[in-house]
Amino acid sequence: MAKRSKKDFAPHVTGDETQCCEAEGCTQEGIYKAPKSRDRLHEYRYFCLDHVREHNKMWDYFSGMGAEEIEAFMKDAVTGHRPTWERVGNISDPQEKLYNAVNDFLNVNRKITKPAPHVSAKVRKALALFEIDYPYTASALKIQYKTLVKRTHPDRNPGDKFAEEKFKAVASAYKVLEAHLHES
Protein backbone atom coordinates (compact mmCIF):
# COMPACT_ATOMS: atom_id res chain seq x y z
CA MET A 1 0.00 0.00 0.00
CA ALA A 2 1.60 3.25 -1.11
CA LYS A 3 1.99 6.13 1.29
CA ARG A 4 -0.12 9.09 0.29
CA SER A 5 1.14 12.62 0.60
CA LYS A 6 -0.76 15.84 1.30
CA LYS A 7 -0.66 16.74 -2.38
CA ASP A 8 -2.85 13.68 -3.12
CA PHE A 9 -5.69 15.33 -1.18
CA ALA A 10 -5.17 18.89 -2.39
CA PRO A 11 -7.26 20.32 -5.24
CA HIS A 12 -5.88 19.13 -8.56
CA VAL A 13 -5.54 21.86 -11.15
CA THR A 14 -4.04 20.86 -14.50
CA GLY A 15 -3.12 24.33 -15.71
CA ASP A 16 -5.08 25.70 -18.68
CA GLU A 17 -7.48 22.79 -18.92
CA THR A 18 -10.34 22.51 -16.48
CA GLN A 19 -12.24 19.32 -15.85
CA CYS A 20 -15.90 19.09 -15.07
CA CYS A 21 -17.08 17.27 -11.99
CA GLU A 22 -17.66 13.61 -12.84
CA ALA A 23 -20.88 13.50 -10.79
CA GLU A 24 -23.91 13.11 -13.00
CA GLY A 25 -25.50 16.45 -13.90
CA CYS A 26 -22.88 18.61 -12.14
CA THR A 27 -21.29 21.49 -14.09
CA GLN A 28 -18.77 22.70 -11.48
CA GLU A 29 -15.01 22.23 -11.80
CA GLY A 30 -13.75 18.81 -10.78
CA ILE A 31 -10.55 19.67 -8.93
CA TYR A 32 -10.69 17.12 -6.07
CA LYS A 33 -9.36 13.59 -6.62
CA ALA A 34 -11.05 10.45 -5.35
CA PRO A 35 -9.79 6.89 -5.99
CA LYS A 36 -11.79 4.86 -8.48
CA SER A 37 -11.80 1.64 -6.45
CA ARG A 38 -9.93 -0.33 -3.81
CA ASP A 39 -7.98 -2.15 -6.51
CA ARG A 40 -7.08 1.04 -8.39
CA LEU A 41 -6.11 3.52 -5.67
CA HIS A 42 -3.84 5.51 -7.99
CA GLU A 43 -6.49 6.05 -10.64
CA TYR A 44 -8.75 8.95 -9.83
CA ARG A 45 -12.11 10.46 -10.56
CA TYR A 46 -12.41 14.23 -10.28
CA PHE A 47 -15.22 15.88 -8.33
CA CYS A 48 -16.22 19.28 -7.06
CA LEU A 49 -15.98 19.85 -3.29
CA ASP A 50 -19.59 18.87 -2.53
CA HIS A 51 -19.45 15.68 -4.57
CA VAL A 52 -16.03 14.59 -3.27
CA ARG A 53 -17.40 14.94 0.27
CA GLU A 54 -20.41 12.84 -0.69
CA HIS A 55 -18.11 10.26 -2.32
CA ASN A 56 -15.94 10.09 0.80
CA LYS A 57 -18.98 9.54 3.05
CA MET A 58 -20.09 6.60 0.90
CA TRP A 59 -16.57 5.20 0.33
CA ASP A 60 -16.07 1.83 1.99
CA TYR A 61 -12.67 0.28 1.40
CA PHE A 62 -13.87 -3.09 2.65
CA SER A 63 -17.07 -3.33 0.61
CA GLY A 64 -17.28 -6.66 -1.16
CA MET A 65 -14.82 -8.32 1.25
CA GLY A 66 -15.82 -11.17 3.53
CA ALA A 67 -15.11 -11.30 7.26
CA GLU A 68 -12.10 -13.59 6.74
CA GLU A 69 -10.60 -11.23 4.14
CA ILE A 70 -11.06 -8.24 6.46
CA GLU A 71 -9.41 -10.12 9.34
CA ALA A 72 -6.51 -11.13 7.09
CA PHE A 73 -6.14 -7.49 5.99
CA MET A 74 -6.12 -6.30 9.61
CA LYS A 75 -3.55 -8.92 10.62
CA ASP A 76 -1.37 -8.01 7.65
CA ALA A 77 -1.72 -4.28 8.44
CA VAL A 78 0.22 -4.79 11.68
CA THR A 79 3.40 -5.31 9.65
CA GLY A 80 2.52 -2.71 7.02
CA HIS A 81 1.53 -5.42 4.51
CA ARG A 82 5.16 -6.53 4.31
CA PRO A 83 6.32 -10.14 4.54
CA THR A 84 7.53 -11.40 7.91
CA TRP A 85 9.34 -14.52 9.04
CA GLU A 86 9.00 -16.61 12.15
CA ARG A 87 11.69 -16.31 14.80
CA VAL A 88 13.99 -19.29 14.78
CA GLY A 89 15.76 -20.74 17.77
CA ASN A 90 15.34 -20.64 21.49
CA ILE A 91 14.27 -17.17 22.61
CA SER A 92 14.24 -18.07 26.31
CA ASP A 93 16.47 -15.17 27.34
CA PRO A 94 16.65 -12.52 24.58
CA GLN A 95 18.44 -10.00 26.84
CA GLU A 96 21.30 -12.42 27.39
CA LYS A 97 21.57 -13.11 23.66
CA LEU A 98 21.62 -9.39 22.92
CA TYR A 99 24.23 -8.80 25.62
CA ASN A 100 26.46 -11.55 24.18
CA ALA A 101 26.04 -10.29 20.61
CA VAL A 102 26.97 -6.72 21.60
CA ASN A 103 29.98 -7.94 23.58
CA ASP A 104 31.13 -10.12 20.68
CA PHE A 105 30.82 -7.14 18.35
CA LEU A 106 32.57 -4.63 20.61
CA ASN A 107 35.31 -6.95 21.89
CA VAL A 108 36.89 -8.18 18.69
CA ASN A 109 39.79 -9.89 20.46
CA ARG A 110 37.51 -11.69 22.88
CA LYS A 111 36.60 -15.29 22.21
CA ILE A 112 33.11 -15.53 20.73
CA THR A 113 30.64 -16.82 23.28
CA LYS A 114 28.67 -19.92 22.56
CA PRO A 115 25.05 -20.05 23.61
CA ALA A 116 24.81 -21.67 27.03
CA PRO A 117 22.54 -24.63 27.49
CA HIS A 118 19.24 -23.85 29.14
CA VAL A 119 19.55 -23.52 32.90
CA SER A 120 16.82 -22.56 35.33
CA ALA A 121 16.33 -19.01 36.54
CA LYS A 122 17.39 -20.12 40.03
CA VAL A 123 20.74 -21.34 38.73
CA ARG A 124 21.27 -18.20 36.62
CA LYS A 125 20.56 -16.03 39.66
CA ALA A 126 22.98 -18.04 41.78
CA LEU A 127 25.67 -17.80 39.08
CA ALA A 128 25.19 -14.04 38.95
CA LEU A 129 25.56 -13.81 42.73
CA PHE A 130 28.75 -15.89 42.59
CA GLU A 131 29.97 -13.91 39.55
CA ILE A 132 30.94 -17.07 37.66
CA ASP A 133 29.97 -18.26 34.20
CA TYR A 134 28.29 -21.45 33.14
CA PRO A 135 29.78 -24.14 32.77
CA TYR A 136 31.55 -24.08 36.12
CA THR A 137 33.64 -26.59 37.99
CA ALA A 138 33.34 -27.76 41.58
CA SER A 139 36.73 -26.27 42.43
CA ALA A 140 35.85 -22.85 40.94
CA LEU A 141 32.56 -22.91 42.85
CA LYS A 142 34.29 -23.77 46.12
CA ILE A 143 36.95 -21.04 45.72
CA GLN A 144 34.33 -18.39 44.98
CA TYR A 145 32.15 -19.62 47.86
CA LYS A 146 35.03 -19.28 50.34
CA THR A 147 35.81 -15.79 49.06
CA LEU A 148 32.20 -14.62 49.38
CA VAL A 149 31.73 -16.21 52.83
CA LYS A 150 34.85 -14.47 54.14
CA ARG A 151 33.66 -11.15 52.72
CA THR A 152 30.06 -11.35 54.04
CA HIS A 153 30.32 -13.35 57.28
CA PRO A 154 28.43 -11.71 60.20
CA ASP A 155 31.43 -12.11 62.54
CA ARG A 156 33.50 -10.03 60.13
CA ASN A 157 30.70 -7.43 59.65
CA PRO A 158 29.01 -7.05 63.06
CA GLY A 159 25.75 -5.11 62.92
CA ASP A 160 25.67 -4.94 59.09
CA LYS A 161 22.24 -6.26 58.07
CA PHE A 162 23.09 -6.09 54.36
CA ALA A 163 26.16 -8.33 54.84
CA GLU A 164 24.09 -10.74 56.93
CA GLU A 165 21.42 -11.01 54.19
CA LYS A 166 24.09 -11.43 51.53
CA PHE A 167 25.72 -14.18 53.61
CA LYS A 168 22.39 -16.06 53.73
CA ALA A 169 21.93 -15.58 49.97
CA VAL A 170 25.46 -16.90 49.30
CA ALA A 171 24.79 -20.00 51.40
CA SER A 172 21.51 -20.80 49.62
CA ALA A 173 23.01 -20.05 46.18
CA TYR A 174 25.88 -22.43 46.94
CA LYS A 175 23.39 -25.21 47.71
CA VAL A 176 21.57 -24.53 44.42
CA LEU A 177 24.78 -24.56 42.36
CA GLU A 178 26.16 -27.61 44.10
CA ALA A 179 22.91 -29.52 43.50
CA HIS A 180 22.91 -28.44 39.86
CA LEU A 181 26.52 -29.58 39.47
CA HIS A 182 25.63 -33.04 40.77
CA GLU A 183 22.60 -33.25 38.42
CA SER A 184 24.67 -32.54 35.32
Side-chain angles (χ1 to χ4, degrees):
M1 190 172 196
K3 187 175 178 182
R4 298 176 76 179
S5 66
K6 288 184 179 181
K7 69 177 183 173
D8 287 333
F9 300 104
H12 180 73
V13 180
T14 58
D16 297 335
E17 301 175 19
T18 57
Q19 284 182 289
C20 281
C21 178
E22 291 185 33
E24 197 172 314
C26 185
T27 57
Q28 293 185 13
E29 276 188 297
I31 58 174
Y32 294 94
K33 298 189 301 186
K36 288 186 176 182
S37 70
R38 176 180 64 237
D39 301 327
R40 301 183 308 175
L41 291 174
H42 296 291
E43 294 178 24
Y44 302 102
R45 298 177 63 195
Y46 294 90
F47 294 111
C48 64
L49 184 59
D50 292 332
H51 286 115
V52 82
R53 285 181 178 162
E54 186 179 316
H55 177 272
N56 288 340
K57 283 181 185 176
M58 294 186 323
W59 173 263
D60 183 8
Y61 183 86
F62 298 104
S63 67
M65 291 176 102
E68 291 176 3
E69 291 174 302
I70 293 172
E71 281 187 42
F73 180 89
M74 290 169 56
K75 183 180 177 187
D76 204 27
V78 172
T79 59
H81 304 285
R82 291 180 173 87
T84 58
W85 295 267
E86 293 292 323
R87 291 175 142 189
V88 179
N90 184 6
I91 313 288
S92 61
D93 193 3
Q95 285 181 330
E96 185 177 337
K97 286 185 179 187
L98 176 63
Y99 176 78
N100 288 338
V102 169
N103 276 336
D104 291 343
F105 177 73
L106 294 176
N107 300 322
V108 178
N109 297 333
R110 189 177 144 218
K111 185 177 149 187
I112 295 178
T113 58
K114 293 181 181 176
H118 180 70
V119 291
S120 68
K122 217 179 211 183
V123 172
R124 283 196 310 266
K125 187 175 179 182
L127 287 169
L129 180 68
F130 270 67
E131 298 173 352
I132 58 176
D133 293 326
Y134 189 86
Y136 56 95
T137 61
S139 61
L141 180 63
K142 198 172 216 176
I143 290 169
Q144 190 65 10
Y145 175 69
K146 286 181 180 180
T147 305
L148 291 172
V149 165
K150 286 179 186 176
R151 189 181 311 151
T152 60
H153 199 279
D155 291 344
R156 191 160 189 191
N157 302 297
D160 187 356
K161 293 287 184 189
F162 178 74
E164 187 177 323
E165 291 300 317
K166 183 118 180 184
F167 177 75
K168 290 177 185 176
V170 166
S172 68
Y174 180 72
K175 288 178 185 175
V176 168
L177 291 174
E178 194 174 40
H180 183 264
L181 197 60
H182 292 295
E183 287 174 8
S184 302

